[in-house]
Amino acid sequence: MPTFPPSLLLGAVQIPPSMRLALIAVAGVVLAGVVVAALRRHWLPLLRRRLPRAAPVREADDHLKLALWGSGEVFWDYDLIGRRMHQMRADEQSPSSNAITMLTGVGQMPAIHPQDLPLVVQRLRSHLRGDAPQFTSEHRMDMAGDGTWSWVRARGRVVESDASGRALRLAGTARDITASRNAEYEHRVASQVMRSMSEAVAVLDSEYRFITVNPSFSRMTGYDGAEVAGQPLSLLDGRQHPGDGAAGMSAQLQREGRWSGEAWKVRKDGEEILCRIEANMVPDASEQRLMVVLVLNDITEHKRVEQELRYLANYDTLTSLPNRSLLFERLARAVVRARRERSRVAVLFIDLDRFKDINDSLGHATGDRILRAAAARVQQTVGTQHTVARLSGDEFTVVLEGIASPADAERVAERIIQAFTQPLSFGDRLELAVSPSIGISLYPDHAQVPTELLKHADTAMYQAKAAGRHTWAVYSEAMDEKTRHRAILASALRRALERDELRVVYQPRLSLANNRITGTEALLRWDSRELGEISPAQFIPLAEESGLIVDIGIWTLRQACQTLRQWHAAGLDHLNVAVNVSSLQLQRGDLADVVARVLAETGIDASLLELELTESVLMANPDHASGVLRDCRALGVSIAIDDFGTGYSSLAYLKRLPLNTLKIDQAFIRDIDHDLEDEAITSAIIAMARSLDLKVVAEGVETSAQLAFLRQRGCEEVQGHHVSRALEPAQCMAFIRDFDPRPATLAKA
């Protein structure tokens, strides 16, 4: 039995690369019919009858060759009895129709794929029974016998039967459809992928008219495929963005074959959406015409979130002003421009005076409304051409570009201060007066980089606050020296307790009713090993800012009670002691527990201890203060309000607070012997205190005239240098024991 190369076996014919699916579908059917008809009309009858006429045989043979050569089909004739298959096909390598070579072969039928064999058998039997006019099947066969499966489309009929009607032979045509089958499979996959894509896909012709769209396109735009078919791409253009990017897209597609970008499109319901578009130009199946494939993503929400994140990263959400990040960026650009143009940049650091008191008394919600009103006031004053930023809390910064001299910055600062002379409106007919303190630094006068400019402006702002607030100050190097000194003090203060550098001195208090020293006030002093004697006016605020005042306050209270116990042991058991309490000690809420623990440790009677709190500390949060002080009063200690008259006390709150003593600030005592206003204020305070059943103590008494005035007005106790300065514990005890109330003794002390 002869052997045949794989190319001669059934279905091994390969489709030329230039042929496409359309040619296969149409030409295959037509040529198959032609071949079958030709075989039946010409070749088979000629072979059976062995006609002697040579010319008609050659003509039929030529027709057969042409049919097989033109169609690429294989003719097969299968002997059902002998299980032999005859094959014939035209050589694909034949140069022209005039030199066609026919390849024939006889052999076994190639193996059919096990999965396809049942269906092939079923269809063959159906035809043999006469249920189907012809045998038709698409299945896989091992054409080369090497285990490689190829798809074959086979058609055939029974061409010979015996007298009983049993089929003896089948004949027909076959074609290798592996390539077309793969192409069809890929087409189905691509079609399913396109339908399943979450991105909207549209196919356009070369004139940018819709050919087809996928379901995601319909969901995104509201248009189904039938509505857009044949319509131009401009159907999606909105009124606000007509032809958005169309010209650029078309030009780049023609030039490079692809384009990507963002464009506004309009949905069927009129809503505009921002789309990310990927466009590619591809040829159709004939490779003669070009199509455009668009992939669209609705990024409207993504863009909105992106813009919100960008806004949050660069702007303050409360005031809508630039935040610290954007401020540094703009300030850096301003410095670069100023360096290039040889001009100046000014930085104004603005802080609202006593804003913490506003937050504590009116609440943070009201504080936020005031901050928004303050931000608008600053921006309105300096103009939109200058950057106004909010750094944090109540701190604002202004960047002034193109100023000719420092005086220009100073004039802007003065305008801001003047603008705040009018109350801020922060609600329905609600107003509040707020004042700013402003620090100024300039490029290139004070610094070369943004961070240093801000730092120096901040330093100058603190200088403005130290100068009395509601003013402005220009940075100088001397301010840095003060700042450094302050930092050194803060660092040294942290070690003061460990190094035993703190001490307590005592200033006697004179009772005017019996001319006797009845008590003392404990006052804190600091002798630093490196810095020497430090004024309480310097280190007490530092201790409060750093939180060290809590530990220092407990230490001072313990020292005062221990000293009082020593005095009692020495026979001065009528004395009491007053100790100052800071705002932090009061805010913690455990003041009563601390006092109770110290009293238990030292054995002092609670009635001999008086706690002094300043008016501003009590009024910062009077409800909280009232609760803490009532707990202290329950222990038996006395409560005094210090520096009365310097804050903003409410008489209603004074009545609610559990107070025993009211101490008149020395600012009113200093000039009572020649200032009628101070005389009137002091007299009114004494009268009010007596009406509230409070003991009155006057501080800062330095002359006999002041003492006489206070005695006349009914003041109960006084303290000051006219009685005695603050003394060390041993000196104070000696002074109290030897005290003589005569004027000569007072003057000597």
Side-chain angles (χ1 to χ4, degrees):
M1 180 183 299
T3 58
F4 303 96
S7 61
L8 296 182
L9 295 177
L10 177 60
V13 179
Q14 299 297 320
I15 301 172
S18 61
M19 297 183 67
R20 290 291 184 266
L21 186 59
L23 181 59
I24 294 171
V26 177
V29 174
V30 175
L31 291 178
V34 171
V35 170
V36 172
L39 290 172
R40 297 186 66 182
R41 286 198 303 268
H42 299 286
W43 191 60
L44 289 175
L46 288 174
L47 290 176
R48 289 174 180 172
R49 298 173 185 174
R50 299 182 179 180
L51 294 177
R53 291 182 296 176
V57 172
R58 284 195 300 271
E59 183 179 354
D61 187 48
D62 290 341
H63 288 166
L64 179 60
K65 289 180 180 181
L66 286 172
L68 294 177
W69 182 73
S71 67
E73 298 265 350
V74 174
F75 170 74
W76 55 270
D77 184 350
Y78 185 60
D79 183 353
L80 293 173
I81 304 302
R83 305 294 182 181
R84 304 286 291 176
M85 178 171 283
H86 297 259
Q87 305 173 54
M88 181 173 61
R89 70 178 180 85
D91 186 2
E92 296 177 356
Q93 305 301 322
S94 299
S96 67
S97 60
N98 297 324
I100 299 175
T101 301
M102 299 301 294
L103 303 174
T104 61
V106 179
Q108 296 293 325
M109 178 186 293
I112 299 174
H113 196 284
Q115 294 179 357
D116 301 336
L117 183 58
L119 181 61
V120 174
V121 172
Q122 176 187 347
R123 292 185 176 181
L124 179 58
R125 287 175 177 173
S126 177
H127 174 61
L128 294 177
R129 288 193 306 266
D131 297 338
Q134 70 173 356
F135 165 70
T136 304
S137 176
E138 290 185 4
H139 53 272
R140 286 165 288 180
M141 301 185 76
D142 183 4
M143 308 303 299
D146 59 358
T148 302
W149 298 101
S150 301
W151 280 96
V152 175
R153 180 187 293 118
R155 292 185 179 90
R157 296 175 185 270
V158 174
V159 296
E160 185 179 350
S161 302
D162 60 11
S164 64
R166 185 181 64 165
L168 300 176
R169 291 170 54 217
L170 288 173
T173 60
R175 175 187 295 276
D176 186 341
I177 61 170
T178 303
S180 61
R181 183 86 178 201
N182 290 340
E184 182 183 351
Y185 174 75
E186 290 177 359
H187 174 73
R188 289 199 305 269
V189 170
S191 177
Q192 187 60 39
V193 169
M194 180 175 171
R195 294 182 61 83
S196 303
M197 287 177 65
S198 60
E199 294 87 353
V201 180
V203 180
L204 314 176
D205 61 21
S206 58
E207 296 180 354
Y208 298 98
R209 293 182 178 276
F210 287 99
I211 298 175
T212 183
V213 298
N214 71 343
S216 293
F217 180 92
S218 300
R219 287 193 296 270
M220 188 177 82
T221 66
Y223 292 102
D224 59 32
E227 288 179 294
V228 299
Q231 296 293 324
L233 180 60
S234 58
L235 174 70
L236 301 180
D237 290 347
R239 294 181 178 180
Q240 297 183 13
H241 310 276
D244 190 8
M249 180 183 74
S250 178
Q252 186 170 335
L253 277 174
Q254 296 296 330
R255 185 173 62 255
E256 301 179 12
R258 58 178 299 142
W259 177 87
S260 64
E262 297 176 2
W264 284 96
K265 298 299 176 184
V266 65
R267 290 169 40 87
K268 184 179 179 179
D269 59 9
E271 178 187 354
E272 285 203 338
I273 56 176
L274 182 63
C275 296
R276 176 70 184 176
I277 303 176
E278 298 283 342
N280 288 276
M281 189 167 282
V282 297
D284 63 3
S286 66
E287 296 189 353
Q288 300 299 315
R289 294 183 304 172
L290 294 176
M291 299 183 299
V292 177
V293 178
L294 299 183
V295 179
L296 304 91
N297 282 284
D298 182 357
I299 60 172
T300 310
E301 183 65 18
H302 173 76
K303 210 71 173 181
R304 183 188 65 79
V305 172
E306 183 180 290
Q307 290 174 347
E308 287 183 359
L309 292 175
R310 187 181 299 112
Y311 178 86
L312 292 174
N314 292 285
Y315 289 89
D316 172 53
T317 55
L318 177 64
T319 63
S320 297
L321 294 177
N323 61 12
R324 182 182 295 270
S325 175
L326 185 56
L327 169 68
F328 271 100
E329 181 181 331
R330 291 187 178 180
L331 182 54
R333 290 202 298 264
V335 168
V336 171
R337 283 193 294 268
R339 183 180 296 118
R340 183 174 60 249
E341 299 170 4
R342 298 184 181 278
S343 60
R344 280 188 169 91
V345 176
V347 175
L348 276 60
F349 200 105
I350 304 171
D351 186 87
L352 302 182
D353 297 331
R354 294 190 173 91
F355 184 76
K356 183 180 182 300
D357 295 341
I358 295 175
N359 258 347
D360 292 342
S361 58
L362 300 180
H364 289 279
T366 299
D368 288 345
R369 291 197 292 270
I370 293 172
L371 286 174
R372 284 194 290 268
R377 182 72 57 86
V378 174
Q379 185 73 77
Q380 182 181 6
T381 303
V382 304
T384 56
Q385 71 273 23
H386 298 298
T387 295
V388 178
R390 180 186 179 218
L391 295 184
S392 62
D394 59 330
E395 296 177 342
F396 299 90
T397 301
V398 178
V399 178
L400 304 175
E401 295 189 60
I403 61 173
S405 66
D408 293 341
E410 295 171 12
R411 282 191 288 271
V412 173
E414 186 61 37
R415 288 208 309 270
I416 294 173
I417 289 175
Q418 289 299 320
F420 277 86
T421 57
Q422 298 297 321
L424 293 174
S425 300
F426 60 93
D428 186 16
R429 292 177 294 181
L430 296 175
E431 294 183 337
L432 184 70
V434 177
S435 64
S437 295
I438 304 175
I440 304 172
S441 66
L442 296 105
Y443 167 87
D445 305 62
H446 303 136
Q448 302 290 320
V449 295
T451 52
E452 291 297 312
L453 285 169
L454 280 172
K455 174 185 172 184
H456 293 337
D458 188 17
T459 299
M461 182 273 295
Y462 278 107
Q463 184 65 27
K465 283 188 176 294
R469 297 182 173 87
H470 193 52
T471 186
W472 52 266
V474 179
Y475 170 79
S476 66
E477 292 185 0
M479 295 179 184
D480 267 345
E481 183 61 34
K482 292 181 180 179
T483 302
R484 282 192 292 270
H485 180 67
R486 184 182 177 87
I488 293 172
L489 282 180
S491 177
L493 183 59
R494 294 183 181 277
R495 302 189 302 271
L497 275 176
E498 301 173 5
R499 301 168 66 173
D500 198 25
E501 294 178 351
L502 296 176
R503 58 189 176 90
V504 179
V505 296
Y506 302 87
Q507 186 172 39
R509 256 172 34 185
L510 174 65
S511 171
L512 298 182
N514 53 24
N515 287 328
R516 187 182 185 190
I517 302 296
T518 56
T520 63
E521 179 181 359
L523 301 172
L524 193 61
R525 295 292 184 265
W526 178 23
D527 293 322
S528 172
R529 298 178 187 177
E530 294 85 5
L531 305 173
E533 184 80 17
I534 309 298
S535 167
Q538 288 184 287
F539 74 82
I540 293 296
L542 285 177
E544 291 180 341
E545 291 176 11
S546 62
L548 293 173
I549 194 65
V550 174
D551 292 335
I552 292 176
I554 295 174
W555 179 86
T556 303
L557 178 63
R558 184 176 289 109
Q559 289 294 113
C561 290
Q562 289 175 350
T563 300
L564 185 62
R565 184 180 61 184
Q566 294 172 3
W567 289 346
H568 286 180
L572 302 176
D573 54 4
H574 65 285
L575 294 176
N576 59 51
V577 66
V579 180
N580 290 281
V581 176
S582 72
S583 59
L584 281 181
Q585 289 176 279
L586 187 65
Q587 290 171 12
R588 280 200 169 188
D590 63 345
L591 182 60
D593 294 336
V594 172
V595 171
R597 186 167 61 250
V598 171
L599 290 175
E601 291 174 0
T602 57
I604 294 298
D605 190 321
S607 62
L608 300 177
L609 175 64
E610 184 175 76
L611 303 179
E612 291 189 8
L613 299 98
T614 63
E615 184 181 9
S616 59
V617 168
L618 288 173
M619 291 300 107
N621 193 343
D623 293 330
H624 175 73
S626 177
V628 175
L629 296 182
R630 289 187 188 281
D631 292 340
C632 294
R633 280 294 305 275
L635 298 175
V637 302
S638 301
I639 306 296
I641 181 170
D642 197 9
D643 298 337
F644 185 80
T646 59
Y648 47 94
S649 298
S650 164
L651 294 180
Y653 274 122
L654 282 180
K655 184 177 180 181
R656 288 169 52 189
L657 290 171
L659 301 176
N660 303 95
T661 304
L662 188 151
K663 299 186 73 173
I664 304 173
D665 187 77
Q666 59 183 345
F668 301 109
I669 304 300
R670 186 180 301 116
D671 299 324
I672 56 174
D673 53 351
H674 58 271
D675 189 305
L676 296 179
E677 289 185 359
D678 285 346
E679 287 184 10
I681 292 173
T682 302
S683 299
I685 292 174
I686 294 173
M688 179 194 68
R690 292 174 68 86
S691 67
L692 294 175
D693 196 25
L694 298 177
K695 182 169 65 176
V696 183
V697 179
E699 298 180 299
V701 177
E702 298 185 353
T703 67
S704 57
Q706 295 169 350
L707 182 64
F709 176 87
L710 293 168
R711 189 190 299 273
Q712 181 183 1
R713 293 299 189 275
C715 183
E716 297 176 65
E717 292 185 2
V718 297
Q719 69 181 82
H721 285 184
H722 186 68
V723 178
S724 173
R725 59 182 175 81
L727 302 170
E728 298 294 334
Q731 294 176 326
C732 186
M733 185 177 67
F735 173 81
I736 295 171
R737 179 175 284 139
D738 300 337
F739 177 74
D740 184 346
R742 291 176 300 176
T745 303
L746 292 175
K748 181 179 180 181

